[in-house]
Amino acid sequence: MIVEWVQGQAQLVFSCLLALVVVGVMLLGVAYSILAERWIAAWVQDRRGPNRAGFFRLFGSFHFWGLGQPIADGGKFFLKEDIIPDNVDKPLFILGPATIFIVALVGFAVIPWGGQVQIGDALLNVQVANPDIGLLYVLGVGSLGVYGVVLGGYASNNKYSFFGGIRATAQMLSYEIPMGLAILVVVLATGQLRLEEIVLSQMGDGDVWNVVRHPLACFLLVVTLFAETSRTPFDMPEAEQELVGGFHTEYSSMKFALFFLAEYAHMITGSAFLMVLFFGGWHIPFVPGLQPGDTAWWAMLLKMLVMAGKIALMMVFYIWVRWTLPRLRFDQLMRLAWKGLVPLGLGLIAFALGMLYIGKPQAWVWTLVGNVVILATMLGITALIPSRVTGRQYDMPELPPRTSAPASIGGP
Amino acid sequence: MPLGNSLMVAQVISSAVPRGDTSVQLISGLLLLGGLGFALCFGALFLGWLIRPRRHNMEKDAIYECGEPTIGSSWVQFDLRFYVVALVFIVFDVEIALFWPWAVVYGGAGVDAADLLSVKTLALFDMLFFFGVIVVGFLYLWRFGYLDWVRSTVSQQRRVPGASLAAATGEAKG
């Protein structure tokens, strides 16, 4: 009894230390992923990105490639005037960014960072908490983020903010459903809600990463993660060309920074979640030191490094997509969610139920074949449905017949 | 070490970790991270409040709507379609939430599904019935146009007995 109690306390202390480290690294990562975003944007658009802000010119004219930029930005956020307009709902106006920022940090609690580590006699989970309901916790906390956006949009008393907030609500709610369905596929296959157990189920004899077993569910989760974090092509809530800045039009200085940091923190949490569910978390096959039996402290550090590397890759993917794909229109966005992703998710669930019944939920060859069949069926049905001009009402006059010569841009 | 062995080691290890303390861990982790977030957020706001300039004027404190004078409040009635989305979301989300515990219990129940009258088969058919209810509801929404963002009067007229789609479009043309 006493030994177990002491062990629990060791875990508690370790968890607290880990939480501090993770939050520190995460905030630094957020600051530098903003810099990475600007670099990659500049590279995509063939121009120079931020490359001037160095460290006090200590080294002559050498600027460290602009690595001082996040620090300079941070200083500016503190020093600039914070305008609260006259007609806003003041408590809610402050509560909006606070909510979204705090919620973005809390989501980290159940992410497994590096398996288990042996310190003294105690075997400790490298995880702030390892509850039975890990997945439900991530989902619940993740969808709390919508409150920040809604509060910010509503409290601003600005039409742009209001429409941005309303759009954000509809978008996040619509994409919660396919997200839940995609995760449900993994839960059905593994029978686990513990994130650590889901990581462990992807390694061992004959086991492969879940992305091989359930590629369509992985695709579904990636798409919904883009929508949940309101990244392009789903950045309707803050569509600059239409809504000025959307829900954060009225926000300035530190309150704007909180929204900005929270967006990137959500991206990091989402990436970590994706890596845990579909890409084996901290695991790489056949690499010594990254197997579940390795519990030395250096193995823990190696695993955390691998996890961070995977998250960084996903962040680069986010940024890459942002500067590649154009934004969807709102009706296209809703159509994609309700008529594309939800039926796909329901199909995947039905298939996962079947595989579960015959007792082979994780036989990856068969799930792969099933995924291909589902994809082919979906594409076939899509091809059979006659396409019509979107955004156009049924009861409008017919369009003039299309001529073979290319029409002028914009059409009649 | 071969992979199979290391997995067995992992299973032994994960069963050796005491599980009773996880709720304490979760709550403490939640409080710690939440408190940290709270401190960082309001600490940054307070620090900024101490050092940043405050020069109000009427123009600056006005609502920013592209420089035009604001007309009325923005807290107005909004489109009913957003309400429908929220309603459909609640129905679906509750249904999916009911799926989760079933998935955990069923998935953890072992793999012997030979007997047609076993509890496992019954549980599967129960869930299939439930799943069918979701699908039928979804098809209903699709059929009657609740999933269309751009709504037209045609889908409403379709429900009136005697009014066909062609007649509806014909009316619109005339």
Side-chain angles (χ1 to χ4, degrees):
Chain A
M1 276 297 285
I2 293 170
V3 174
E4 279 182 12
W5 185 79
V6 169
Q7 207 174 10
Q9 298 313 298
Q11 176 71 58
L12 203 62
V13 172
F14 184 74
S15 292
C16 290
L17 286 176
L18 187 73
L20 290 174
V21 171
V22 164
V23 167
V25 171
M26 199 274 296
L27 287 178
L28 205 69
V30 162
Y32 277 91
S33 53
I34 294 172
L35 182 67
E37 166 122 43
R38 296 178 62 186
W39 271 346
I40 294 175
W43 178 68
V44 168
Q45 298 172 340
D46 197 15
R47 58 180 171 83
R48 285 171 198 278
N51 62 355
R52 304 302 293 175
F55 294 97
F56 306 114
R57 296 199 158 226
L58 279 179
F59 300 91
S61 61
F62 184 57
H63 294 289
F64 286 98
W65 314 282
L67 281 176
Q69 188 70 43
I71 298 164
D73 282 344
K76 215 168 84 174
F77 281 133
F78 279 109
L79 293 170
K80 286 284 175 180
E81 184 172 1
D82 188 0
I83 301 165
I84 298 182
D86 279 337
N87 294 315
V88 303
D89 189 328
K90 214 168 165 184
L92 293 186
F93 190 75
I94 299 170
L95 199 62
T99 312
I100 198 167
F101 181 75
I102 295 171
V103 162
L105 285 189
V106 165
F108 276 88
V110 293
I111 303 288
W113 294 101
Q116 291 178 316
V117 63
Q118 177 102 35
I119 295 178
D121 289 336
L123 254 179
L124 305 175
N125 287 319
V126 188
Q127 199 174 10
V128 176
N130 186 17
D132 292 320
I133 52 157
L135 262 172
L136 282 179
Y137 174 86
V138 174
L139 269 188
V141 169
S143 45
L144 277 179
V146 75
Y147 278 110
V149 175
V150 173
L151 285 178
Y154 175 80
S156 295
N157 197 1
N158 178 326
K159 276 133 198 150
Y160 293 120
S161 305
F162 186 67
F163 292 139
I166 291 287
R167 278 182 177 190
T169 321
Q171 171 182 333
M172 290 185 182
L173 295 189
S174 298
Y175 279 83
E176 284 273 318
I177 304 295
M179 190 185 203
L181 291 175
I183 296 167
L184 190 56
V185 171
V186 177
V187 177
L188 280 171
T190 54
Q192 283 288 345
L193 288 176
R194 266 177 206 267
L195 290 175
E196 184 65 39
E197 302 279 342
I198 290 172
V199 172
L200 287 178
S201 76
Q202 301 177 47
M203 54 194 75
D205 270 343
D207 279 335
V208 286
W209 286 357
N210 275 339
V211 65
V212 183
R213 286 174 184 146
H214 315 290
L216 283 180
C218 179
F219 169 75
L220 210 56
L221 184 60
V222 170
V223 173
T224 50
L225 278 180
F226 274 88
E228 290 288 312
T229 49
S230 336
R231 296 282 299 181
T232 321
F234 305 110
D235 64 340
M236 296 309 296
E238 43 187 309
E240 302 97 334
Q241 293 86 347
E242 307 161 26
L243 292 177
V244 188
F247 58 90
H248 55 57
T249 305
E250 292 295 345
Y251 284 91
S252 48
S253 92
M254 193 42 96
K255 294 201 192 69
F256 172 74
L258 290 176
F259 271 124
F260 212 58
L261 292 176
E263 182 188 329
Y264 281 82
H266 269 300
M267 281 163 63
I268 293 183
T269 317
S271 309
F273 190 45
L274 178 76
M275 291 307 154
V276 166
L277 284 187
F278 286 101
F279 291 90
W282 38 262
H283 173 254
I284 294 177
F286 310 121
V287 178
L290 292 176
Q291 305 308 326
D294 300 314
T295 52
W297 61 270
W298 57 266
M300 175 189 78
L301 290 183
L302 197 63
K303 286 171 181 174
M304 290 170 97
L305 212 62
V306 167
M307 186 76 182
K310 285 183 180 178
I311 291 172
L313 280 181
M314 184 60 197
M315 294 296 284
V316 170
F317 183 65
Y318 266 119
I319 296 167
W320 179 20
V321 168
R322 170 165 182 190
W323 297 102
T324 309
L325 293 181
R327 178 184 305 133
L328 294 181
R329 214 172 48 212
F330 199 75
D331 65 308
Q332 294 171 331
L333 182 102
M334 299 308 272
R335 203 158 51 107
L336 176 66
W338 288 106
K339 295 188 169 178
L341 300 181
V342 169
L344 177 62
L346 289 175
L348 287 174
I349 293 292
F351 175 66
L353 277 176
M355 290 300 284
L356 192 59
Y357 181 65
I358 62 169
K360 289 188 173 62
Q362 297 282 52
W364 63 273
V365 180
W366 294 111
T367 54
L368 209 54
V369 170
N371 270 281
V372 170
V373 170
I374 290 172
L375 185 64
T377 316
M378 292 284 295
L379 291 179
I381 291 173
T382 313
L384 284 179
I385 294 174
S387 67
R388 64 162 205 276
V389 183
T390 57
R392 204 179 157 82
Q393 301 204 343
Y394 301 93
D395 45 359
M396 286 181 77
E398 294 277 319
L399 285 174
R402 204 174 270 179
T403 52
S404 56
S408 60
I409 292 172
Chain B
M1 185 191 298
L3 286 176
N5 281 354
S6 58
L7 182 72
M8 275 163 60
V9 171
Q11 279 164 350
V12 171
I13 289 170
S14 59
S15 61
V17 170
R19 298 204 162 176
D21 285 332
T22 51
S23 60
V24 177
Q25 269 177 46
L26 180 64
I27 292 165
S28 60
L30 195 65
L31 284 179
L32 187 75
L33 285 170
L36 214 59
F38 192 83
L40 281 171
C41 164
F42 286 99
L45 284 176
F46 178 70
L47 195 64
W49 180 77
L50 288 180
I51 58 179
R52 69 169 55 107
R54 271 183 291 279
R55 298 192 194 88
H56 294 282
N57 65 44
M58 262 184 67
E59 296 291 317
K60 212 189 271 181
D61 288 349
I63 293 291
Y64 177 74
E65 288 182 357
C66 294
E68 297 287 329
T70 311
I71 301 172
S73 164
S74 75
W75 295 322
V76 290
Q77 209 172 10
F78 56 85
D79 201 320
L80 204 63
R81 288 178 292 187
F82 290 107
Y83 177 74
V84 174
V85 169
L87 211 61
V88 175
F89 164 75
I90 289 181
V91 172
F92 262 84
D93 210 38
V94 169
E95 282 172 345
I96 290 174
L98 285 174
F99 227 116
W100 288 57
W102 183 88
V104 173
V105 174
Y106 193 87
V111 288
D112 49 338
D115 188 4
L116 264 179
L117 286 175
S118 67
V119 176
K120 199 169 173 183
T121 314
L122 288 177
L124 182 83
F125 279 103
D126 275 357
M127 201 25 110
L128 279 181
F129 179 75
F130 181 67
F131 187 68
V133 172
I134 300 183
V135 172
V136 168
F138 185 68
L139 291 178
Y140 177 88
L141 291 172
W142 197 320
R143 171 69 180 80
F144 290 102
Y146 293 100
L147 304 180
D148 291 326
W149 191 254
V150 180
R151 299 287 297 277
S152 71
T153 50
V154 173
S155 60
Q156 286 151 19
Q157 284 166 353
R158 242 189 245 155
R159 267 175 285 169
V160 179
S164 69
L165 181 68
T169 31
E171 273 171 26
K173 268 183 200 161

